[in-house]
Amino acid sequence: MLKFRLSWTGKAELSPFSPGARHRSPDPPDPVITAIRNELSENADPAIQESTRRFFKEEITCYGMKTAAVTAIAKKYWVEVRSRDKEEIFSLCEELYRSGYLEESFIVSTWTYALSPRFEPGDLVVFERWIDTWITNWAACDGFCNHAVGDFITKYPERVADLKRWATSPNRWMRRAACVSLIVPAKRGEFLSDVFELADLVLTDPDDIVQKGYGWLLKEASRKHTDEVFAYIMRNKAVMPRTALRYAIELMGKELKAEAMRRG
């Protein structure tokens, strides 16, 4: 449970005994990180905190802020850090991730996406470590992978092979990340053969968080390739979990939906 204490100024401050605080670096954080956390704490809303938690099956730690407000804070402080070396910004991102707070993970997603013009091939190793180590819910996963990792793969399409390796990871968030990293390119009609290869790799995955991820990927691919995605679904619907199937056919016409959902 998120805990606050009143400072001598009368403002609510994050208690050092809160769950997020326990995971923070023992070293004093960069002043920008301190400023961000102070602003997040000052704008924390218990009602939003409670409503946010209802969107997750797993336990999350959050301040309680609307996404638009967090994005505004991320952009505000991006102005202060964007001139720093990329590696230094990556270090700031790791410090934000280390807190365990949902909103701080959103700031990482915003900053990393803003770095996309400066991406280099080796950055995917960093992103993989972040996903495997710090990401523990669908919002952090999708927010980071849809845009930052998606932009990386668009820039270095040969690295889609790494996503296929992620799809075999024992970590459920790595497997979801493998799929949702191609959401934006797939929406544009790109990487169709890779979309199907990824779906093949997680086709019978028992984890619904992964099923929803690859079902969503197929749905976005269907925007430009309805016939191909429908044919893929029909070939595999006998073994495809119904959760994935329902996501995949969401944008299709009524007749195609009915045929895809028909058993036997």
Side-chain angles (χ1 to χ4, degrees):
M1 181 176 178
L2 189 60
K3 298 180 177 67
F4 290 93
R5 63 182 180 186
L6 289 179
S7 71
W8 64 272
T9 63
K11 292 183 178 180
E13 292 182 341
L14 186 65
S15 165
F17 301 105
S18 66
R22 291 198 297 270
H23 296 288
R24 292 190 177 159
S25 169
D27 299 322
D30 186 285
V32 169
I33 300 295
T34 300
I36 288 170
R37 288 176 174 160
N38 286 342
E39 193 159 343
L40 291 170
S41 295
E42 288 168 1
N43 288 279
D45 185 326
I48 296 176
Q49 179 194 99
E50 184 60 32
S51 65
T52 298
R53 285 178 172 153
R54 289 198 289 269
F55 288 98
F56 301 87
K57 291 182 179 179
E58 53 280 327
E59 184 177 345
I60 65 159
T61 305
C62 64
Y63 292 91
M65 290 181 64
K66 292 189 178 296
T67 303
V70 179
T71 301
I73 291 171
K75 290 179 177 179
K76 172 184 174 181
Y77 288 98
W78 173 246
V79 174
E80 294 191 25
V81 304
R82 65 186 177 190
S83 62
R84 301 192 192 188
D85 290 342
K86 182 178 63 178
E87 289 70 22
E88 186 177 353
I89 298 172
F90 281 176
S91 293
L92 294 176
C93 288
E94 293 207 11
E95 175 62 25
L96 289 166
Y97 267 141
R98 194 174 286 114
S99 76
Y101 278 86
L102 182 66
E103 292 89 349
E104 294 190 33
S105 78
F106 291 170
I107 293 173
V108 173
S109 299
T110 301
W111 284 6
T112 309
Y113 181 48
L115 280 170
S116 58
R118 295 157 65 179
F119 283 168
E120 298 171 282
D123 293 339
L124 193 61
V125 174
V126 176
F127 300 160
E128 179 176 346
R129 184 178 75 250
W130 289 355
I131 297 165
D132 202 31
T133 305
W134 304 117
I135 287 181
T136 58
N137 62 74
W138 62 263
C141 182
D142 298 356
F144 181 67
C145 295
N146 286 175
H147 300 291
V149 181
D151 264 25
F152 178 93
I153 297 298
T154 299
K155 188 172 185 177
Y156 300 106
E158 69 278 5
R159 300 302 295 276
V160 74
D162 290 80
L163 301 186
K164 295 167 189 175
R165 177 173 52 79
W166 295 4
T168 65
S169 169
N171 183 336
R172 68 193 305 220
W173 302 111
M174 291 298 303
R175 301 198 305 278
R176 182 178 174 94
C179 301
V180 301
S181 291
L182 286 187
I183 290 291
V184 175
K187 189 174 182 177
R188 298 192 296 256
E190 301 167 5
F191 293 98
L192 183 63
S193 62
D194 299 299
V195 167
F196 292 147
E197 286 184 45
L198 282 167
D200 283 343
L201 288 167
V202 294
L203 188 64
T204 58
D205 197 299
D207 194 323
D208 73 334
I209 207 73
V210 181
Q211 295 169 15
K212 292 173 183 177
Y214 90 80
W216 181 21
L217 178 60
L218 290 170
K219 178 181 80 172
E220 296 302 337
S222 77
R223 292 178 185 272
K224 299 288 187 180
H225 301 285
T226 302
D227 292 344
E228 295 94 327
V229 173
F230 181 72
Y232 178 87
I233 291 168
M234 294 304 291
R235 287 196 305 271
N236 293 286
K237 72 171 190 172
V239 294
M240 183 183 291
R242 303 294 274 186
T243 295
L245 194 154
R246 290 190 184 95
Y247 268 71
I249 64 175
E250 190 174 323
L251 299 177
M252 295 182 182
K254 185 177 180 180
E255 291 184 1
L256 294 183
K257 285 181 179 178
E259 187 174 352
M261 291 298 291
R262 191 176 297 120
R263 296 184 183 273

